[in-house]
């Protein structure tokens, strides 16, 4: 996938060994930049320069909300948690994640899921960017 060598991935997981294994797996597959944090509270204020969030949770019953869910800070997010696929989809949707991956985590599957989430996000954002550019051009023509 062409978008992943330049992607900036943020992994949030309280388990340092699991977090490191995820980073190593994604890096080995060619992801551009991977940042690890143990919790959302470790995120520096104003640090929103990420393309995708990977949130790893210990329990499907206690999944944290996607911290980037709000429109101004919105970035695609993938939830990684143990559970049945139909449960994961419901839990992820309720908590504001675009996709979910079950455990045990296979780096190749996470890599593919990140790629599909990034492509979908970029495809959905392109019309909005084009519309804003057209509006600016129209306003410039009216001003002249």
């Amino acid at each position: 996938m062409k978008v992943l060598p330049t992607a900036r991935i943020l992994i949030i997981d309280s388990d340092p060994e699991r977090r490191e294994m995820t980073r190593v797996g994604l890096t080995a597959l060619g992801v551009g930049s991977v940042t690890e944090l143990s919790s959302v509270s470790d995120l520096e204020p104003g640090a929103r320069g990420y393309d995708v969030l990977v949130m790893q949770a210990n329990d499907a019953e206690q999944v944290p909300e996607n911290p980037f869910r709000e429109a101004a800070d919105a970035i695609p997010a993938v939830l990684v948690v143990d559970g049945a696929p139909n449960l994961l989809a419901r839990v992820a949707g309720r908590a504001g994640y675009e996709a979910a991956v079950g455990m045990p985590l296979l780096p190749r599957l996470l890599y593919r899921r990140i790629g599909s989430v990034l492509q979908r996000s970029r495809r959905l954002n392109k019309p909005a960017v084009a519309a804003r550019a057209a509006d600016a051009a129209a306003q410039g023509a009216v001003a002249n």
Side-chain angles (χ1 to χ4, degrees), residues 71-103:
D73 299 326
I75 64 169
V78 177
L79 174 65
V80 179
V81 67
D82 193 23
N86 59 345
L87 170 68
L88 294 180
R90 275 196 314 270
V91 168
R94 272 189 254 135
Y97 297 90
E98 283 72 22
V101 177
M103 287 189 201

Side-chain angles (χ1 to χ4, degrees), residues 3-9 26-27 30-34:
V3 295
L4 291 179
T6 60
R8 296 161 300 179
I9 310 296
L26 289 175
T27 303
V31 171
S33 169
V34 181

Side-chain angles (χ1 to χ4, degrees), residues 76-78 98-99 112-122:
V78 177
E98 283 72 22
R112 288 182 180 158
R113 194 62 44 95
I114 289 170
S116 66
V117 165
L118 265 175
Q119 287 177 339
R120 190 175 331 125
S121 172
R122 289 180 179 173

Side-chain angles (χ1 to χ4, degrees), residues 2-135:
K2 294 180 182 178
V3 295
L4 291 179
T6 60
R8 296 161 300 179
I9 310 296
L10 172 62
I11 299 171
I12 299 179
D13 187 355
S14 60
D15 183 327
E17 289 178 19
R18 186 172 62 195
R19 190 173 63 235
E20 182 180 358
M21 286 176 37
T22 303
R23 179 188 52 79
V24 168
L26 289 175
T27 303
L29 290 169
V31 171
S33 169
V34 181
T35 302
E36 302 174 50
L37 297 176
S38 61
S39 72
V40 175
S41 62
D42 292 342
L43 191 62
E44 293 180 19
R48 301 289 190 244
Y50 302 105
D51 296 310
V52 176
L53 165 67
V54 175
M55 177 71 75
Q56 294 182 281
N58 295 325
D59 183 8
E61 298 296 321
Q62 298 178 357
V63 171
E65 291 285 321
N66 173 359
F68 299 111
R69 187 178 202 169
E70 300 302 317
D73 299 326
I75 64 169
V78 177
L79 174 65
V80 179
V81 67
D82 193 23
N86 59 345
L87 170 68
L88 294 180
R90 275 196 314 270
V91 168
R94 272 189 254 135
Y97 297 90
E98 283 72 22
V101 177
M103 287 189 201
L105 180 64
L106 302 172
R108 170 85 48 204
L109 178 61
L110 179 60
Y111 178 88
R112 288 182 180 158
R113 194 62 44 95
I114 289 170
S116 66
V117 165
L118 265 175
Q119 287 177 339
R120 190 175 331 125
S121 172
R122 289 180 179 173
R123 192 171 43 244
L124 292 173
N125 285 336
K126 282 184 182 177
V129 171
R132 279 183 273 175
D135 288 345

